[in-house]
């Protein structure tokens, strides 16, 4: 551990030693930030620590409105915003410290992105154990949101592969937190509200090449899709289905199902075997800063969905694809979130358990009948849940979709879907949420009371707080009441990190 840290141990006994009071300069400025959905901008004091000592100093300087850590800004809602308080930009802590080839682990700062890890690890024959739909997320953000990917049915979420992390707590001290401890389970999925993750040790996945062997097929409707996933998911490490949520009638839920494995060396053509672990993500021009409103309406999205479904092969096996093409196709278009115009968009993701398929069918039918224009809609199966108290995944079915935020009546419609999800003992994903009613949170996350109690003990002054935690009452405990539900603002942001 670097010399500028104060390490403690999360043993559940004595508190860590008092931190050294180091006077360090910290760069700050006031900016307006949003999530990736660009729906609810808020102004905060941005702090850019470049060392663990500066991060500790920034926490002590947070003030009455507290602070929250922020990575690359890919949480869709308001999880990494803090109106009137401090936001700690952790991307300056970006060192890869050690790679243990014998154990297959990496120890790195929390501000290191998954993109950077891929650049460093792939040439050595290693890959990150879990990646979401973008590689532009930090390790700290991956732990705080307990991210999942196309392989949850077999590999679980990101926290399953984290061995330990160093956590800067509200008193300015640093604790080394090992998996299996209450603080580990509260932090993985805890949305940054237990402290600032400074570094982590993560277990890696060995690979022979940087290419994927991909099978693609079409499913005629939702039942056909679920049957295919149920019958064959165990054969693949990765699986995901794009779903046409505008299709109706007998075609409701028609989909393109994509499954993949890391390609072995002997599957590559001779030319590709010369550099089997090359990683060269391509980039297209960025989306313009200003896009016309209404570009992604029912007509345009309906046309896109029709073309996307028809051009997909009925069945194709063994196609070689690059890692960016298979995992992160949208990363090739910088600032793709701008295509939704000034109003932004809402990313809505929920999960319901096995034996709750009728709830999923009903929600898909309602979305289809409502005509919600979503061209980024995916369905996956989740496997065994990990122990994070606020971790999103649970065994069952998860559907994620994007919806233009200015769609008339959207708030009321999603509130109704929330009730369906909660009634089926499901939950929505906090890392993507921008508008959930706080009274539903206890029904969706049964261990919320434990989370609040631990926060009250660890951070009695509420140093770590965010727009999301205020909106949902995540830091409330005892007799405190959560705030009233508010719809997120639908206006452009002058500055987005």
């Amino acid at each position: 551990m670097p010399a500028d840290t104060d390490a403690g141990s999360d043993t559940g006994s004595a508190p860590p030693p008092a931190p050294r009071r180091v006077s360090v300069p910290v760069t700050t400025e006031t900016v307006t930030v949003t999530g990736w959905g660009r729906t609810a901008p808020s102004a905060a004091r941005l702090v850019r620590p470049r060392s663990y000592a500066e991060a500790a100093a920034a926490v002590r300087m947070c003030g009455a409105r507290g602070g929250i850590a922020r990575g690359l800004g890919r949480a869709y809602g308001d999880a990494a915003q803090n109106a009137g308080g401090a936001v700690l930009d952790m991307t300056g802590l970006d060192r890869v410290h050690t790679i243990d080839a014998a154990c297959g682990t990496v120890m790195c700062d929390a501000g290191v992105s998954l993109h950077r890890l891929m650049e460093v690890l792939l040439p050595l024959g290693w890959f990150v154990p879990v990646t979401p739909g973008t590689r532009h997320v930090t390790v700290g953000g991956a732990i705080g949101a307990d991210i999942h990917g196309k392989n949850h049915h077999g590999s679980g979420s990101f926290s399953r592969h984290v061995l330990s992390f160093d956590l800067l707590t509200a008193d300015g001290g640093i604790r080394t937190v090992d998996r299996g401890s209450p603080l580990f389970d509260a932090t993985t999925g805890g949305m940054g509200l237990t402290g600032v993750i400074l570094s982590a040790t993560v277990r890696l996945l060995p690979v022979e090449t940087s290419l994927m062997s991909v099978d693609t097929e079409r499913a005629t409707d939702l039942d056909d899709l679920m049957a295919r996933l149920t019958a064959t998911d165990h054969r693949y490490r990765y699986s995901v289905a794009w779903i046409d949520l505008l299709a109706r009638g007998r075609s409701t839920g028609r989909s393109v199902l994509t499954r993949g494995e890391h390609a072995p060396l002997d599957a590559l053509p001779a030319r590709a075997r010369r550099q089997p672990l090359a990683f060269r993500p391509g980039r297209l021009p960025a989306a313009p800063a200003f896009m016309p409103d209404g570009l992604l309406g029912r007509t345009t999205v309906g046309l896109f969905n029709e073309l996307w479904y028809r051009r997909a092969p009925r069945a194709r096996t063994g196609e070689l694809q690059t890692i960016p093409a298979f995992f992160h196709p949208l990363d090739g278009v910088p600032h793709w979130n701008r295509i939704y115009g000034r109003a932004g968009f809402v990313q809505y993701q929920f999960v319901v358990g096995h034996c709750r398929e009728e709830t999923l069918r009903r929600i898909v039918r309602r979305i289809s009948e409502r005509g919600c224009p979503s061209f980024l809609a995916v369905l996956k199966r989740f496997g065994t849940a990990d122990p994070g108290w606020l971790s999103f995944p649970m065994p069952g079915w998860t559907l994620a979709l994007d919806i233009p935020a200015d769609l008339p009546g959207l708030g009321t419609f999603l509130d109704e879907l929330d009730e369906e999800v909660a009634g089926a003992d499901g939950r929505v994903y906090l890392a993507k949420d921008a508008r959930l009613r706080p009274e539903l949170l206890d029904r969706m996350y049964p261990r919320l009371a434990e989370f609040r109690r631990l926060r009250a003990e660890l951070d009695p002054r509420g140093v770590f707080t965010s727009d999301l935690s205020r909106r949902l009452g995540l830091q409330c405990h005892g007799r405190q009441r959560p705030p009233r539900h508010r719809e997120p603002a639908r206006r452009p942001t002058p500055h987005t990190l």
Side-chain angles (χ1 to χ4, degrees), residues 46-127:
L46 184 69
V47 186
R48 293 189 173 93
R50 292 294 183 266
S51 68
Y52 295 178
E54 287 189 8
V59 167
R60 291 194 293 270
M61 294 165 51
C62 277
R65 294 286 287 182
I68 194 71
R70 183 181 177 96
L72 291 167
R74 293 305 178 102
Y76 285 84
D78 51 3
Q81 300 172 216
N82 184 22
V87 170
L88 279 65
D89 179 352
M90 299 300 293
T91 56
L93 293 172
D94 59 356
R95 294 170 294 175
V96 177
H97 293 281
T98 58
I99 300 170
D100 189 331
C103 296
T105 61
V106 61
M107 189 273 199
C108 63
D109 285 343
V112 173
S113 69
L114 298 191
H115 173 86
R116 179 58 181 155
L117 283 183
M118 291 177 196
E119 287 184 323
V120 172
L121 296 172
L122 272 169
L124 303 176
W126 298 101
F127 190 61

Side-chain angles (χ1 to χ4, degrees), residues 87-355:
V87 170
L88 279 65
D89 179 352
M90 299 300 293
T91 56
L93 293 172
D94 59 356
R95 294 170 294 175
V96 177
H97 293 281
T98 58
I99 300 170
D100 189 331
C103 296
T105 61
V106 61
M107 189 273 199
C108 63
D109 285 343
V112 173
S113 69
L114 298 191
H115 173 86
R116 179 58 181 155
L117 283 183
M118 291 177 196
E119 287 184 323
V120 172
L121 296 172
L122 272 169
L124 303 176
W126 298 101
F127 190 61
V128 295
V130 171
T131 177
T134 175
R135 60 186 178 277
H136 298 300
V137 296
T138 62
V139 170
I143 296 171
D146 200 13
I147 61 170
H148 56 272
K150 297 176 176 66
N151 58 341
H152 190 277
H153 60 281
S155 301
S157 53
F158 195 85
S159 67
R160 184 177 300 186
H161 309 274
V162 176
L163 302 180
S164 66
F165 52 79
D166 284 348
L167 186 71
L168 172 62
T169 50
D171 59 4
I174 298 174
R175 303 187 185 196
T176 296
V177 184
D178 295 321
R179 64 178 301 104
S181 65
L183 186 51
F184 187 99
D185 294 343
T187 302
T188 55
M191 306 310 296
L193 297 174
T194 60
V196 179
I197 299 169
L198 298 176
S199 65
T201 300
V202 182
R203 188 170 49 241
L204 304 171
L205 176 69
V207 295
E208 294 183 18
T209 76
S210 60
L211 292 176
M212 306 296 298
S213 177
V214 181
D215 294 353
T216 305
E217 59 189 275
R218 290 193 306 203
T220 56
D221 58 29
L222 183 60
D223 285 340
D224 182 27
L225 171 63
M226 290 193 292
R228 291 171 188 250
L229 283 168
T230 301
T232 62
D233 246 11
H234 65 280
R235 302 177 190 169
Y236 296 89
R237 182 179 294 273
Y238 304 100
S239 66
V240 64
W242 169 88
I243 183 169
D244 182 359
L245 291 177
L246 289 178
R248 298 184 180 185
R250 290 186 300 176
S251 296
T252 299
R254 67 179 181 178
S255 312
V256 178
L257 176 57
T258 306
R259 277 85 68 88
E261 297 281 356
H262 293 278
L265 185 60
D266 59 13
L268 271 57
R271 184 174 181 179
R273 293 185 195 182
R274 299 172 188 170
Q275 292 182 304
L277 293 165
F279 180 64
R280 302 187 186 93
R283 286 170 66 92
L284 297 172
F290 298 99
M291 297 287 288
D293 293 333
L295 182 64
L296 297 179
R298 292 185 183 93
T299 300
T300 54
V301 173
L303 178 61
F304 171 87
N305 287 1
E306 181 70 25
L307 293 174
W308 190 260
Y309 181 77
R310 295 297 177 188
R311 73 181 291 271
R314 292 184 182 274
R316 181 175 60 199
T317 61
E319 180 190 16
L320 292 178
Q321 293 184 9
T322 65
I323 281 173
F326 181 75
F327 289 106
H328 319 116
L330 286 174
D331 282 350
V333 183
H335 303 293
W336 63 263
N337 57 336
R338 295 173 180 170
I339 65 177
Y340 292 87
R342 293 172 298 174
F345 70 102
V346 173
Q347 176 83 187
Y348 184 68
Q349 183 169 4
F350 68 90
V351 58
V352 292
H354 295 301
C355 301

